[in-house]
Amino acid sequence: MTKKYEFDWIIPVPPELTTGCVFDRWFENEKETKENDFERDALFKVDEYGFFLYWKSEGRDGDVIELCQVSDIRAGGTPRDPKILDKVTKKNGTNIPELDKRSLTICSNTDYINITYHHVICPDAATAKSWQKNLRIITHNNRATNVCPRTNLMKHWMRLSYCVEKSGKIPVKTLAKTFASGKTEKLVYTCIKDAGLPDDKNATMTMDQFTFDKFYALYHKVCPRNDIEELFTSITKGKQDFISLEQFIQFMNEKQRDPRMNEILFPLYEEKRCTEIVNDYELDEEKKKSVQLSLDGFKRYLMSDENAPVFLDRLDFYMEMDQPLAHYYINSSHNTYLSGRQIGGKSSVEMYRQTLLAGCRCVELDCWNGKGEDEEPIVTHGHAYCTEILFKDCIQAIADCAFVSSEYPVILSFENHCNRAQQYKLAKYCDDFFGELLLKEPLADHPLDPGLPLPPPCKLKKKILIKNKRMKPDVEKVELELWLKGELKTDDDPEEDASAGKPPEAAAAPAPVPEAAAAADGAAEGGGGAEAEAAAANYSGSTTNVHPWLSSMVNYAQPIKFQGFDKAIEKNIAHNMSSFAESAGMNYLKQSSIDFVNYNKRQMSRIYPKGTRADSSNYMPQVFWNAGCQMVSLNFQTSDLPMQLNQGKFEYNGGCGYLLKPDFMRRADKDFDPFADAPVDGVIAAMCSVKVIAGQFLSDKKVGTYVEVDMFGLPSDTVKKEFRTRLVPNNGLNPVYNEDPFVFRKVVLPDLAVLRFGVYEESGKMIGQRILPLDGLQPGYRHVSLRTEANFPMSLPMLFVNIELKIYGPDGFEDFMAMLDLKELNAKQAKTSADTAKEVQNDKTLKTKNEKDRRLREKRQNNVKRFMEEKKQIGVKQGRAMEKLKLAHSKQVEEFSTDVQKLMDMYKIEEEAYKTQGKTEFYA
């Protein structure tokens, strides 16, 4: 960034955690040996950066849990295995309720299905409560998962330091494994020796011996950064061993700065800023005094937070959160309870916890009548032979995890197949477990009147909204009064279909056909589309008989059957929303794309996977985001490309689960066609070029690797399976690709586009991936840290790439675009900024410095908005000029081609005439 940005990624770790405490630990896992299932008196600590929870007990190896992989810390937990329970109670007493109060369960994972549960027993209940609270504070740190390569190297060094053997020392062989995937064992141990560390395979090291400086030096010995050295030489022209200040300024402006940025808001790099960078990363004092950057200092800069691939402020809350709910994309889940297939799959309460902790803000509950004497409502996939879980257990899990990772509203999408008696229980459990978290009635300043917009997320913090069918207000009022008096009949009408409201196994249903099961998804909630409409007519499990108490809890998310865009405009009711199976949604999108976008400006829509996706695969969400659909619901249990796009996109804005849609998808005076390939009014098309130079720590195996680079956005911007590097064999440590740049020549709408890196083994198995939205992408030589398939951070694996971004210009006109003069606009904006400061300074009504500072901030914010609009307008004019030039150029080429063809035809005729006539005689 041209302006210095302090990336404060550390959440202060409470002293109680860094000091540590002695706990007992037990682990219930079939793979664990009997000796390891119970560990006495282990000292547990958290490091000062909040990277690890680590522990060590007498006579055992040390171990760690990476906190960025910890999804939850829960109260309680006692062993199910009687042998482990016996060991635990012999040490801690047989009072199980008291033992439960002293216990914590730490959940860690690298996807949403395979959870590892670590159980600890604290000295007392107060310690357990305190550790749970403090650990929850430092987990879900979105910024800590985006630290720079150098910090990740430090993190790995810390992990090695904590993984000690029984004696408390660090085995050299664990250090050697770090580099085993690309170098010979002999070379690795030689480098270890050169770094001043013990080189015997069975040797150990103390913490004092194994310093980070030695590990960092070892890294550069084993993995020399020839790629950075080549770049360094190209800057210095090979004439000296340092980059001069002048050369560094030129490099930063030509390679590391986005040329599309306004020079007033994002000034060019100059001496002062570049001197700061040299001072921060150059260790040689003599070079620092001369403002010179050595190769080592250059490496430190390129591997620092200063050189992140995205603007790091995008990871914080940077979007306005005071717009109507319909103006946001909302991170949403489909059939949240399923941990596997849609047919015959397993239902799990844990899935509600994991999706909410991952930032999801809309979860789905398919509610059915329970069996047995207690008739507890259940959650399952109807007519699909899936297992059942209790509704109340789901609600309790939601109450516990709803606002751990985000304080913005959670929407519960009920697919309600219960009779009235059991709907009463649905309402009661929501009321009991959620309490004040449940939004039971509309906000006073946002009544449910036609023509009024939905409330903004900022006014719904820590609120849970229920999406369920609602009675007509007058009927609801009457029945609610009857119910409060105890005069309302809650049993189903005896004349109603006998199968309605019964558990799915008992209902007279057809065989579990995927289409039928999925069609029910829309029917019970008033969904849209042909599948849902057919289901509403034929599917016996759905019911329109709503309990008044549950009905009264529904406000800003009232599902209705979609009746068309014209009807929605006529009604103009923002709190009415419809659900569409992906196929039905796509049909509406193809037929009435602009109408669909405009509908989503006013009210919310929810998209869900079609019924034939029995394997819980996902559809591509991008096409529906392009239309402004808010709840593009996906199967979180499947870590496929669509889910990677989803989680990569929602990593921005603090990972809060809400993203403000682009301006042109919110404003009533703008029309946007998501299938158009022409420039969008007010948006400047871009060109993006990506050169994949090298990889680092890609795999712990000696395998061949290759990299794919894709782009997803508007249909015209989407390029996939086209750009792939060569395969580098037998090197998972530091392969060098050094490919020619992959060029995405014209990106019509950068605001909606994302860049995807996929790294694969030669077999095609994915190693890691990363999704980077173009909105916030930084050009230049950058290190891109990778994520797992489920988008969990991988500490060491990364790519070194060169990204170029610039304003799009048709082929042959790039030089012309570069010559377009914006100096007049920049001068005008600079003058405006100066005049604003002078005006505020001379304003006699502002008595104090604080008042003047506040007024200046307000005016500057207004200026910035105006400057950005002016910049956009310049870009639009340039785009139009380019289109005119392109047309003129095409016309001239066409006319020239015609003339050439005429000449060719004439010559051909003359040649034929020459061949047919006799030999010509010449006379002097």
Side-chain angles (χ1 to χ4, degrees):
M1 303 175 84
T2 53
K3 297 178 182 177
K4 189 174 178 64
Y5 176 74
E6 295 294 340
F7 183 47
D8 187 11
W9 54 266
I10 300 175
I11 297 176
V13 180
E16 183 181 6
L17 303 187
T18 54
T19 302
C21 190
V22 175
F23 300 150
D24 288 342
R25 170 186 169 271
W26 59 271
F27 195 76
E28 209 163 31
N29 190 320
E30 293 177 0
K31 297 179 182 179
E32 195 79 9
T33 62
K34 290 182 179 180
E35 291 76 21
N36 291 334
D37 59 18
F38 182 63
E39 184 174 0
R40 297 165 175 264
D41 302 325
L43 177 61
F44 279 74
K45 289 184 177 183
V46 173
D47 65 275
E48 61 180 309
Y49 301 106
F51 284 143
F52 300 106
L53 174 65
Y54 62 99
W55 65 92
K56 172 79 172 67
S57 63
E58 187 69 30
R60 292 213 186 197
D61 293 346
D63 208 347
V64 302
I65 301 173
E66 198 165 333
L67 286 175
C68 71
Q69 295 176 357
V70 170
S71 57
D72 198 16
I73 301 95
R74 298 174 195 162
T78 50
R80 293 188 299 270
D81 187 324
K83 292 181 180 179
I84 301 177
L85 181 61
D86 183 59
K87 294 178 183 179
V88 168
T89 52
K90 278 182 179 177
K91 170 76 161 52
N92 292 277
T94 57
N95 187 335
I96 300 300
E98 183 62 29
L99 182 65
D100 201 55
K101 291 178 182 177
R102 293 168 47 200
S103 299
L104 293 176
T105 299
I106 301 165
C107 311
S108 66
N109 47 297
T110 53
D111 60 39
Y112 305 118
I113 307 300
N114 303 297
I115 318 298
T116 301
Y117 300 96
H118 307 263
H119 305 273
V120 297
I121 304 168
C122 304
D124 50 63
T127 302
K129 191 173 182 180
S130 177
W131 270 69
Q132 181 192 21
K133 176 186 173 184
N134 288 329
L135 282 172
R136 276 191 166 183
I137 289 172
I138 60 175
T139 54
H140 301 286
N141 183 354
N142 189 42
R143 289 168 294 176
T145 61
N146 286 275
V147 292
C148 64
R150 194 167 186 277
T151 302
N152 275 325
L153 283 170
M154 182 184 73
K155 182 178 177 180
H156 185 72
W157 165 75
M158 291 171 66
R159 173 189 278 276
L160 294 173
S161 302
Y162 297 143
C163 292
V164 296
E165 59 176 21
K166 295 176 183 179
S167 66
K169 294 184 177 181
I170 306 155
V172 172
K173 61 185 177 183
T174 61
L175 170 61
K177 283 181 182 178
T178 300
F179 306 102
S181 64
K183 305 297 178 183
T184 64
E185 187 178 79
K186 182 178 179 181
L187 174 64
V188 171
Y189 277 97
T190 298
C191 292
I192 288 174
K193 182 179 180 180
D194 291 345
L197 296 169
D199 63 326
D200 186 276
K201 293 179 185 178
N202 298 315
T204 58
M205 306 172 285
T206 64
M207 288 283 288
D208 291 338
Q209 285 178 290
F210 186 50
T211 63
F212 175 65
D213 286 342
K214 287 183 178 180
F215 175 70
Y216 185 70
L218 175 63
Y219 157 66
H220 283 293
K221 283 180 180 292
V222 182
C223 304
R225 294 303 303 269
N226 298 329
D227 45 4
I228 296 179
E229 191 168 345
E230 287 178 13
L231 175 59
F232 182 85
T233 302
S234 72
I235 298 170
T236 63
K237 305 292 190 286
K239 295 179 179 179
Q240 69 256 356
D241 65 348
F242 61 85
I243 299 174
S244 67
L245 179 59
E246 182 182 353
Q247 289 170 332
F248 192 49
I249 293 172
Q250 182 180 359
F251 168 75
M252 295 300 286
N253 283 320
E254 292 183 359
K255 300 297 184 183
Q256 304 296 97
R257 183 185 179 278
D258 191 338
R260 303 171 302 164
M261 295 193 302
N262 181 285
E263 292 182 11
I264 299 296
L265 303 177
F266 301 95
L268 292 169
Y269 285 93
E270 33 68 53
E271 285 191 12
K272 181 182 177 183
R273 182 72 193 95
C274 288
T275 301
E276 288 177 349
I277 296 173
V278 171
N279 288 335
D280 286 341
Y281 301 106
E282 181 54 59
L283 300 185
D284 187 309
E285 290 299 327
E286 290 302 314
K287 283 186 168 56
K288 190 181 291 188
K289 288 177 184 176
S290 303
V291 197
Q292 298 169 349
L293 198 59
S294 66
L295 175 59
D296 178 65
F298 190 50
K299 289 176 183 176
R300 288 173 181 273
Y301 159 70
L302 289 177
M303 298 180 70
S304 71
D305 289 325
E306 189 95 35
N307 195 47
V310 298
F311 288 108
L312 293 171
D313 57 353
R314 301 301 170 93
L315 301 173
D316 290 326
F317 297 99
Y318 75 99
M319 291 180 166
E320 297 174 358
M321 301 301 286
D322 58 357
Q323 301 292 310
L325 270 179
H327 289 183
Y328 294 85
Y329 297 117
I330 303 172
N331 197 352
S332 302
S333 161
H334 167 253
N335 284 0
T336 311
Y337 48 88
L338 289 178
S339 61
R341 294 175 56 84
Q342 301 290 308
I343 307 296
K346 181 184 176 183
S347 302
S348 168
V349 174
E350 183 66 42
M351 287 302 297
Y352 287 98
R353 294 180 180 274
Q354 292 302 321
T355 52
L356 289 167
L357 293 165
C360 181
R361 297 291 87 189
C362 177
V363 296
E364 185 177 13
L365 298 97
D366 292 3
C367 310
W368 296 83
N369 290 342
K371 300 178 280 190
E373 295 181 3
D374 56 1
E375 293 190 339
E376 285 293 338
I378 58 172
V379 171
T380 189
H381 198 196
H383 308 295
Y385 299 139
C386 294
T387 61
E388 305 165 0
I389 50 179
L390 292 179
F391 175 84
K392 66 178 179 182
D393 290 347
C394 299
I395 295 301
Q396 187 171 10
I398 292 168
D400 188 37
C401 296
F403 303 109
V404 173
S405 64
S406 170
E407 61 181 354
Y408 286 96
V410 169
I411 300 170
L412 306 186
S413 181
F414 281 10
E415 185 183 306
N416 192 348
H417 303 272
C418 294
N419 61 31
R420 275 187 145 193
Q422 296 211 19
Q423 285 185 52
Y424 163 77
K425 288 189 174 183
L426 302 185
K428 187 176 190 309
Y429 290 137
C430 287
D431 190 54
D432 289 348
F433 286 110
F434 295 152
E436 293 301 314
L437 297 176
L438 182 63
L439 188 70
K440 300 176 186 176
E441 55 187 34
L443 303 178
D445 55 348
H446 286 276
L448 300 177
D449 294 338
L452 294 182
L454 291 167
C458 65
K459 290 190 176 182
L460 297 170
K461 285 184 177 180
K462 295 197 173 181
K463 287 296 178 185
I464 295 174
L465 283 65
I466 292 178
K467 172 178 165 286
N468 187 79
K469 283 185 177 179
R470 188 174 184 183
M471 294 175 159
K472 292 181 178 179
D474 52 344
V475 176
E476 179 189 287
K477 183 178 179 182
V478 171
E479 293 211 1
L480 197 57
E481 289 176 356
L482 289 173
W483 173 68
L484 290 171
K485 293 176 183 177
E487 299 173 3
L488 180 70
K489 181 180 178 182
T490 57
D491 293 328
D492 284 341
D493 188 330
E495 295 181 4
E496 189 173 294
D497 188 331
S499 68
K502 292 183 180 179
E505 289 79 8
V513 180
E515 290 88 341
D521 292 351
E525 57 176 56
E531 294 173 17
E533 289 169 17
N538 302 317
Y539 189 67
S540 59
S542 65
T543 176
T544 56
N545 199 7
V546 187
H547 192 285
W549 192 18
L550 181 60
S551 176
S552 70
M553 294 176 176
V554 180
N555 34 69
Y556 296 119
Q558 298 184 21
I560 63 165
K561 180 179 176 182
F562 185 69
Q563 297 175 315
F565 297 115
D566 291 342
K567 194 69 175 177
I569 293 171
E570 179 187 328
K571 287 185 174 181
N572 194 19
I573 300 176
H575 56 266
N576 282 352
M577 63 172 294
S578 295
S579 293
F580 306 85
E582 59 173 291
S583 50
M586 184 60 73
N587 286 336
Y588 283 120
L589 193 52
K590 288 177 180 177
Q591 295 164 10
S592 310
S593 57
I594 295 177
D595 290 336
F596 210 159
V597 173
N598 289 335
Y599 171 90
N600 287 322
K601 294 175 183 177
R602 181 181 58 254
Q603 54 204 99
M604 294 190 290
S605 62
R606 176 177 171 270
I607 310 296
Y608 59 91
K610 62 185 178 182
T612 52
R613 296 187 182 274
D615 60 351
S616 293
S617 61
N618 285 301
Y619 56 92
M620 292 297 284
Q622 188 70 49
V623 68
F624 295 108
W625 289 331
N626 294 345
C629 298
Q630 296 84 0
M631 302 178 196
V632 182
S633 305
L634 299 176
N635 294 308
F636 269 57
Q637 71 269 37
T638 305
S639 299
D640 51 11
L641 174 58
M643 262 303 294
Q644 291 162 13
L645 291 171
N646 186 79
Q647 295 306 81
K649 183 182 182 74
F650 282 101
E651 197 171 341
Y652 274 18
N653 202 32
C656 73
Y658 285 81
L659 295 173
L660 187 65
K661 294 191 287 189
D663 175 79
F664 54 84
M665 300 180 80
R666 295 181 275 125
R667 287 174 53 177
D669 62 337
K670 296 272 188 180
D671 278 338
F672 169 62
D673 183 355
F675 291 112
D677 58 2
V680 177
D681 186 28
V683 178
I684 304 169
M687 188 282 292
C688 178
S689 167
V690 180
K691 180 181 175 71
V692 180
I693 301 171
Q696 295 275 303
F697 299 105
L698 296 185
S699 174
D700 56 3
K701 298 179 291 185
K702 284 185 179 179
V703 294
T705 62
Y706 64 90
V707 182
E708 290 182 355
V709 183
D710 303 318
M711 185 173 288
F712 297 91
L714 293 184
S716 60
D717 294 343
T718 298
V719 179
K720 54 185 177 180
K721 297 295 181 182
E722 185 174 326
F723 297 133
R724 170 178 165 172
T725 68
R726 66 186 180 91
L727 177 75
V728 177
N730 302 320
N731 187 352
L733 181 63
N734 60 342
V736 175
Y737 306 103
N738 223 8
E739 291 286 330
D740 289 336
F742 301 140
V743 180
F744 302 91
R745 197 175 65 83
K746 182 181 181 182
V747 185
V748 172
L749 196 52
D751 286 358
L752 289 179
V754 299
L755 199 62
R756 175 185 182 264
F757 295 91
V759 183
Y760 299 87
E761 292 182 2
E762 55 197 314
S763 64
K765 181 183 177 183
M766 175 173 276
I767 293 173
Q769 55 82 32
R770 188 67 187 275
I771 305 295
L772 297 175
L774 252 66
D775 175 28
L777 185 66
Q778 294 208 82
Y781 290 86
R782 313 281 176 175
H783 288 89
V784 177
S785 295
L786 299 180
R787 300 279 192 264
T788 66
E789 285 186 277
N791 211 55
F792 283 74
M794 303 170 74
S795 291
L796 288 181
M798 57 185 164
L799 296 174
F800 185 50
V801 302
N802 181 25
I803 299 170
E804 288 187 21
L805 295 168
K806 56 186 177 182
I807 295 172
Y808 163 74
D811 290 344
F813 287 94
E814 285 85 357
D815 292 339
F816 178 83
M817 289 296 295
M819 292 172 63
L820 286 172
D821 190 6
L822 293 176
K823 288 184 178 178
E824 185 179 342
L825 175 64
N826 289 336
K828 176 186 171 186
Q829 292 177 351
K831 185 177 184 302
T832 301
S833 298
D835 290 345
T836 297
K838 188 175 180 181
E839 177 191 338
V840 171
Q841 193 62 36
N842 295 332
D843 191 341
K844 303 298 183 184
T845 63
L846 303 174
K847 305 297 183 184
T848 66
K849 183 179 184 298
N850 286 339
E851 288 177 339
K852 289 184 177 182
D853 288 345
R854 185 173 63 252
R855 179 66 58 85
L856 186 59
R857 280 197 303 271
E858 291 170 355
K859 285 184 171 290
R860 280 179 174 169
Q861 287 173 355
N862 292 332
N863 285 346
V864 166
K865 290 180 180 178
R866 191 165 75 253
F867 292 168
M868 294 300 288
E869 188 62 33
E870 288 173 351
K871 184 82 169 184
K872 282 184 178 180
Q873 292 305 318
I874 286 287
V876 171
K877 289 178 183 177
Q878 290 175 349
R880 288 171 182 165
M882 284 299 93
E883 291 299 323
K884 287 180 181 179
L885 281 170
K886 191 176 180 182
L887 286 172
H889 177 70
S890 299
K891 187 176 180 181
Q892 289 170 358
V893 169
E894 185 179 348
E895 289 173 351
F896 177 72
S897 299
T898 303
D899 291 343
V900 169
Q901 188 61 47
K902 286 179 181 178
L903 282 171
M904 292 295 291
D905 291 343
M906 185 182 72
Y907 293 148
K908 193 171 184 181
I909 291 169
E910 290 179 354
E911 182 183 359
E912 291 297 325
Y914 176 79
K915 286 179 180 179
T916 57
Q917 67 186 21
K919 184 177 179 181
T920 306
E921 293 184 354
F922 289 89
Y923 299 92

